[in-house]
Amino acid sequence: MKRVILAVGFIGLTLIGCSSDDDSTSEVVIDDSIESSAVIENYADLVLANYQAAMVDAEALKVAIDLFVATPTEDNFNAAKEAWLTSRESYGPSEAFRFANGPIDTGDTEEIEGYLNSWPLDEAYIDYVEGDVDAGIINNLADFPTLTKEGLTGENGIGGEENVAIGYHAIEFLLWGQDLTAPSENLAGQRTYTDFVDGGTAANQDRRRAYLAIVADLLTDHLQIIIDEWSGDYRTTFLALDEDEALDNMISSIAELSRSELAIERMAVALQNQDQEDEHSCFSDNTDRDIRLNLAGIVNVYTGVYGSVNGNSLQDLIEEADADLAAELDALLATAVTDVDATLDPFDLAIVDGESSVEGAKVQTAVQALVAFGDKLLEAKVALDID
């Protein structure tokens, strides 16, 4: 977009879209087009800022867990659970950076996303469950006589995707335990802190403490790998990409999260199955926050805003190329936010009676809104002449 203005005399008065024979005026052409490179660089800044925020909260979680492991009191247990909930607030939006051919799930570091956020999780792979007090790595001293960071990382996903050994949801399970109550009771998992106290409930309390400390430590290790990439080698690679490829990655990633991973995998499937085991954070009943935070990440990428990062965005670029499409996208995204916010907390109570119920219908409406935004966003590739 170029604007022509007239600079008049020395008083600084400007007029837009005029011409004049007055020698005291001069024509100035201002090119205020949205540069793709600025949108791409702002995205790189935004990604790094989000992962750095997630690291701050993960480090706080580690401190809280280390304190609980050293002094396993009920107060310290509850503080660790609060720290986990806080850590999800900054990590949740970062899921908008998946499916973008970036280091979180592509290339030499493609396993990191699985190390951080794998789900659903087979509880019996880690610890005792209802009906099997000897289940899990914690209680299997024969095969796992010593618990180590390398050993638990190596066991993640072995024998099936549900065999999750590490990451946010492994920590969640260790802190809350299985959620065995009915959704109508509005209760999360009821694990007691005495599972970690020598001579307390359950067996192998010392190994449970060790396991919890290890997975908290691994969380910061793996987040640091991604931060290193986005502040170093991968940032350089990303900024050197063909601009169309970089924009394609950005658009495709949030479209995929909106229309597929979030709408279908995390919401529609759980609603169809009417099963709290299919919700993202099923032990803590934090799934309603996961959903809202994932959508917040989509909004962040689209608008180019996160914390102190605020620059040219996909929204700006699309508006310049096709104002009608931009208006449609703005309306669809606003609708998605409204419809997601209208769903019930906790999520397991929202889905338990299925799509035909009042609350289930709200979930279905939100699903449709997320799909509609994701589908429409893909049309922006044509508007931007992205091959």
Side-chain angles (χ1 to χ4, degrees), residues 137-373:
I137 294 171
I138 287 174
N139 298 302
N140 185 350
L141 279 69
D143 293 332
F144 306 99
T146 303
L147 301 176
T148 65
K149 292 167 71 171
E150 294 74 16
L152 293 184
T153 301
E155 291 301 317
N156 196 62
I158 296 298
E161 292 183 353
E162 72 282 4
N163 290 338
V164 177
I166 60 176
Y168 283 102
H169 297 295
I171 297 172
E172 180 196 8
F173 170 57
L174 288 168
L175 292 176
W176 274 272
Q178 289 179 289
D179 183 358
L180 300 173
T181 57
S184 59
E185 295 183 58
N186 198 5
L187 292 172
Q190 296 295 297
R191 186 192 290 276
T192 172
Y193 79 99
T194 53
D195 278 5
F196 297 85
V197 177
D198 291 334
T201 49
N204 297 306
Q205 299 95 345
D206 57 335
R207 285 170 59 85
R208 193 167 292 107
R209 292 196 302 270
Y211 197 117
L212 181 59
I214 289 170
V215 288
D217 205 17
L218 284 170
L219 201 65
T220 57
D221 288 352
H222 292 138
L223 278 171
Q224 188 60 56
I225 291 171
I226 299 303
I227 289 172
D228 289 346
E229 288 291 331
W230 274 105
S231 57
D233 289 348
Y234 184 74
R235 179 185 174 89
T236 302
T237 299
F238 179 71
L239 295 180
L241 288 176
D242 177 87
E243 289 181 351
D244 283 355
E245 182 179 356
L247 293 173
D248 191 5
N249 288 345
M250 294 162 59
I251 291 171
S252 297
S253 67
I254 58 173
E256 177 72 11
L257 179 59
S258 185
R259 66 200 287 264
S260 181
E261 179 69 18
L262 178 55
I264 305 303
E265 297 296 330
R266 300 187 178 186
M267 297 176 69
V269 169
L271 178 62
Q272 182 177 13
N273 294 338
Q274 299 174 227
D275 188 350
Q276 59 184 326
E277 284 289 309
D278 289 323
E279 61 170 326
H280 198 190
S281 293
C282 65
F283 311 116
S284 61
D285 274 351
N286 196 51
T287 303
D288 60 292
R289 290 300 304 158
D290 291 333
I291 292 168
R292 285 159 175 76
L293 292 164
N294 289 171
L295 179 53
I298 292 169
V299 173
N300 294 345
V301 171
Y302 186 65
T303 60
V305 178
Y306 180 84
S308 62
V309 178
N310 186 352
N312 289 138
S313 65
L314 288 173
Q315 184 183 41
D316 297 329
L317 208 57
I318 295 168
E319 183 176 19
E320 185 177 67
D322 187 335
D324 291 339
L325 174 60
E328 283 187 80
L329 284 167
D330 287 350
L332 288 170
L333 188 54
T335 298
V337 171
T338 299
D339 289 345
V340 165
D341 282 344
T343 59
L344 186 65
D345 166 19
F347 187 70
D348 57 1
L349 190 56
I351 63 172
V352 67
D353 292 323
E355 186 179 342
S356 61
S357 67
V358 171
E359 298 304 330
K362 293 178 184 176
V363 174
Q364 182 60 23
T365 297
V367 166
Q368 292 169 341
L370 289 165
V371 171
F373 173 74

Side-chain angles (χ1 to χ4, degrees), residues 27-38:
E27 185 176 273
V28 177
V29 177
I30 296 178
D31 183 354
D32 59 359
S33 300
I34 305 298
E35 297 290 345
S36 295
S37 60

Side-chain angles (χ1 to χ4, degrees), residues 45-68:
D45 293 342
L46 186 154
V47 173
L48 179 59
N50 196 158
Y51 280 127
Q52 288 173 330
M55 174 62 96
V56 169
D57 290 337
E59 288 175 336
L61 173 61
K62 181 180 181 308
V63 168
I65 285 176
D66 285 348
L67 177 61
F68 171 63

